[in-house]
Amino acid sequence: SSGINAEYGVASDSSIFVYDTRSLGEVYEVYKGKHEEEINQLAPDEKGQYLLSCDDNGEVMCFDVKKRGEVVSRYTVHDNICATVQWVPSRTAEVVSGGMDCKIHHRDLYRQKP
């Protein structure tokens, strides 16, 4: 595990804040400068190792929380705002995103392709 009980939050400057709930909500880590536009959703995986995010540019990112926010995958599949991103249940590396372009995309992060 990452050594913390993590909760995540987003600031208006597109930073992602990782809070340690065992330390009265103390900020454990801040991921800055990863997204260029506003972040619309965060989705941690079941084990708490990876964190998905999506933004107004249509970009989806996957961070390794255990490696202090290292970007392990980054791709743009939407023509404009990516409104939502989620892990596919029982499929550890599969992601689904939905955008304001009326498209839903499925991606396998292990294979790095749709």
Side-chain angles (χ1 to χ4, degrees):
S1 95
S2 64
I4 65 168
N5 286 347
E7 291 292 330
Y8 305 96
V10 179
S12 60
D13 68 352
S14 300
S15 298
I16 298 172
F17 291 85
V18 181
Y19 297 93
D20 185 349
T21 58
R22 292 180 300 188
S23 299
L24 299 173
E26 179 180 313
V27 175
Y28 172 76
E29 186 80 54
V30 179
Y31 307 160
K32 286 189 171 213
K34 308 289 185 176
H35 280 280
E36 294 177 15
E37 291 290 332
E38 286 186 37
I39 298 169
N40 296 313
Q41 188 167 30
L42 299 174
D45 72 337
E46 291 178 356
K47 295 180 182 176
Q49 179 172 354
Y50 297 105
L51 177 68
L52 296 173
S53 62
C54 62
D55 71 14
D56 281 358
N57 275 342
E59 186 171 52
V60 174
M61 298 178 92
C62 180
F63 301 94
D64 188 331
V65 176
K66 290 183 179 180
K67 294 183 180 176
R68 304 193 74 90
E70 176 183 313
V71 178
V72 294
S73 182
R74 179 182 203 151
Y75 59 92
T76 303
V77 291
H78 294 282
D79 297 331
N80 52 37
I81 297 169
C82 181
T84 185
V85 64
Q86 290 294 318
W87 297 96
V88 175
S90 304
R91 306 258 178 127
T92 57
E94 293 184 37
V95 174
V96 177
S97 62
M100 299 301 280
D101 56 2
C102 299
K103 296 178 184 173
I104 296 173
H105 289 274
H106 173 264
R107 190 171 194 98
D108 185 330
L109 297 181
Y110 285 150
R111 294 190 177 115
Q112 293 294 320
K113 54 183 159 178

